[in-house]
Every structure is written in structure tokens, then in C-alpha cells.
DNA sequence: CCACCGATTGCT
DNA sequence: GCAATCGGTGGT
């Protein structure tokens, strides 16, 4: 028997079915928050429309106990937002070329954050394709610099409140438990053995380099 | 003042 | 494998 065609086009998730996460969700250690962020939606209500996707890869950075963290040597002009309240944005400029986006964790002044490394695109695909000058959905948001470019995140949103501002973290009501894969962090020269990179198991939307899989 | 480097990406 | 490209840091 022949399959019937779906009468309705599907996959765009309905923004209004998503629940915006509030400060109690963010108020925890970066290692815990990192894992909790997997499977949640990162959505930016941009001037060009709503863009974003499901968080599939993250890394935790732990403040003054973490040699690889930007906050290791304390607060300065560049990293001040990392010391803000849990649930705020830390957007930093690196390699003279790219921006990366973090979710601030833990108490004010601790300097913990979660680097968002990869998304599965769900919102505003056309806008993101334009921003990235690529039609390949696997090349839109699979990397910390790429996803900031795809979403068109404005660096002025550094320090902004993710619970009320134009960038938000959302949970789908029908979110299933996420299976998590763990590895060492990528692109750092110190603390290379810490197992602080977390990925949604078996997802295809991961950043370029091969993870040193451990657990 | 100069050299180096970074939680990256893309091209050779 | 390496250039792009910029601001901060540390050494001379």
C-alpha cells in the first residue's frame, strides 16, 4: 500500500510551545548546568527573526580553580560578564575573528560558565544559512564560533539576562531524557585532562574536531 | 616596543 | 598545515 503524503508541512517547532527557563535553572555548578543544558533550546529573538536550535554540545569552565577558564586570573575588562549572575550571557571575542557564547553559572563572582559549542538548528534556518553563507545545515551551528555567526548574536548582548532578554534558553514540553557522552575539552592548552565536555549521545551536530572519547 | 597567544574557522 | 586578525599580556 502506498504511503499517504503528509498534508501538512512539519518540522519547525512552535515557539509558543517552548517554556523559557528561569534563574533557578541556571543557579548551579557549571558542570551540572552544562549537562542540564543539553537538549534545551537556545533561541535568539534577532532583528532578522527568531533563530536557534537544540543544544547538543557544551563545555564547563570552572573559575579560579580551572587553569583553562577565562576567569582563572580574576575579573578584568574582557571577562567581567562571566562573573555576573547565573543565567546571564558571556560573549567573548577570540583569535581576532570569532565570538563565542557562554551561559554563566553558579553564584555571582565565582566566574563559572558553560560554553555552547554546537546546536541542532530548529528556528530561522533561512536566516542562519544567510548569516553563514552556507546551505549545509551541518555547517551552520556546529562549532562555538559558527553558531554565534549563524544566530547573528550581537556582542552587545554580552552580560545580558537570558531569562528576560532577546537571548533565551527554552525547554520543550515533550523533551525526553538526554543520553550524555563525556570527553575532554577542545582547543585548550591547559587542564587538557578534565572531562568537562558533554555531548548528546549519537547526535550528528557536533563541532569539527574528533572528541577524545572516554565515558 | 615587540613577540606571542587565544574556549576558532576555513582554505591549501 | 597554516593564515586570518585583534586585543591583552609579558618580556626586552
Amino acid at each position: 500500500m502506498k504511503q499517504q503524503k503528509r498534508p501538512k508541512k512539519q518540522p519547525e517547532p512552535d515557539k509558543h510551545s517552548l517554556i523559557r527557563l528561569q534563574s533557578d535553572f541556571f543557579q548551579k555548578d557549571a558542570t551540572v548546568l552544562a549537562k542540564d543544558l543539553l537538549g534545551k533550546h537556545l533561541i535568539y529573538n534577532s532583528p532578522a527573526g527568531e533563530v536557534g536550535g537544540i543544544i547538543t554540545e557544551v563545555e564547563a569552565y570552572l573559575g579560579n580553580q580551572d587553569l583553562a577558564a577565562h576567569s582563572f586570573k580574576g575579573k578584568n575588562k574582557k571577562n567581567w560578564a562571566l562573573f555576573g549572575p547565573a543565567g546571564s550571557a558571556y560573549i567573548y571575542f577570540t583569535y581576532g575573528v570569532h565570538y563565542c557564547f557562554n551561559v554563566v553559572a553558579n553564584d555571582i563572582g565565582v566566574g563559572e560558565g558553560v560554553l555552547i559549542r554546537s546546536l541542532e538548528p530548529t528556528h530561522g534556518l533561512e536566516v542562519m544559512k544567510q548569516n553563514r553563507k552556507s546551505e549545509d545545515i551541518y555547517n551552520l551551528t556546529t562549532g562555538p564560533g559558527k553558531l554565534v555567526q549563524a544566530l547573528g548574536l550581537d556582542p552587545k548582548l554580552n552580560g545580558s539576562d537570558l531569562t528576560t532578554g532577546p537571548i533565551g534558553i527554552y525547554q520543550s514540553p515533550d523533551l525526553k531524557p538526554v543520553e550524555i557522552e563525556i570527553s575532554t575539552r577542545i582547543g585548550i592548552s591547559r587542564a587538557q585532562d578534565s572531562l568537562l565536555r558533554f555531548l548528546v549521545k549519537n547526535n550528528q551536530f557536533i563541532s569539527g574536531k574528533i572528541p577524545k572519547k572516554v565515558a
Side-chain angles (χ1 to χ4, degrees):
Chain A
M1 185 186 267
K2 197 174 177 189
Q3 271 284 358
Q4 215 174 4
K5 274 188 187 169
R6 287 273 165 83
K8 208 179 166 175
K9 61 172 180 180
Q10 220 287 290
E12 277 270 313
D14 179 13
K15 136 188 186 183
H16 301 295
S17 70
L18 295 176
I19 300 156
R20 188 164 195 168
L21 296 168
Q22 295 303 311
S23 57
D24 58 334
F25 171 81
F26 300 100
Q27 183 57 58
K28 59 187 78 160
D29 294 347
T31 307
V32 179
L33 178 61
K35 289 181 268 195
D36 287 352
L37 281 167
L38 293 176
K40 305 298 191 294
H41 287 255
L42 168 63
I43 306 289
Y44 174 36
N45 190 9
S46 81
E50 244 177 27
V51 291
I54 299 167
I55 298 170
T56 54
E57 176 183 341
V58 297
E59 286 175 357
Y61 287 87
L62 304 184
N64 65 11
Q65 58 175 306
D66 183 356
L67 282 163
H70 289 170
S71 48
F72 179 70
K73 293 180 180 173
K75 193 191 287 193
N76 60 40
K77 187 174 183 177
K78 299 289 289 183
N79 68 11
W80 59 269
L82 197 42
F83 293 84
S88 48
Y90 168 48
I91 301 171
Y92 68 88
F93 184 55
T94 191
Y95 290 100
V97 183
H98 300 287
Y99 290 89
C100 297
F101 170 78
N102 286 243
V103 177
V104 175
N106 216 318
D107 296 321
I108 291 181
V110 175
E112 287 193 359
V114 178
L115 172 68
I116 309 300
R117 292 193 58 89
S118 190
L119 305 175
E120 176 179 342
T122 60
H123 288 58
L125 276 285
E126 291 312 311
V127 171
M128 295 199 287
K129 285 175 181 175
Q130 274 205 313
N131 288 343
R132 287 277 302 143
K133 305 188 195 316
S134 169
E135 294 294 313
D136 180 2
I137 63 167
Y138 292 99
N139 192 32
L140 296 180
T141 54
T142 52
K146 293 182 190 178
L147 71 89
V148 168
Q149 185 185 29
L151 271 58
L153 288 185
D154 188 337
K156 288 176 185 157
L157 294 170
N158 185 33
S160 70
D161 185 351
L162 302 179
T163 69
T164 60
I167 310 172
I169 307 292
Y170 297 81
Q171 177 166 351
S172 171
D174 55 332
L175 172 65
K176 296 160 195 154
V178 175
E179 278 195 275
I180 299 175
E181 211 170 324
I182 305 177
S183 86
T184 53
R185 294 175 294 186
I186 286 182
I188 54 175
S189 58
R190 297 183 290 185
Q192 292 178 327
D193 294 334
S194 300
L195 296 171
L196 293 172
R197 177 171 178 245
F198 306 99
L199 307 93
V200 174
K201 193 173 183 179
N202 294 331
N203 93 85
Q204 304 158 289
F205 295 91
I206 60 171
S207 61
K209 296 159 191 169
I210 308 298
K212 199 197 290 180
K213 195 186 299 183
V214 175

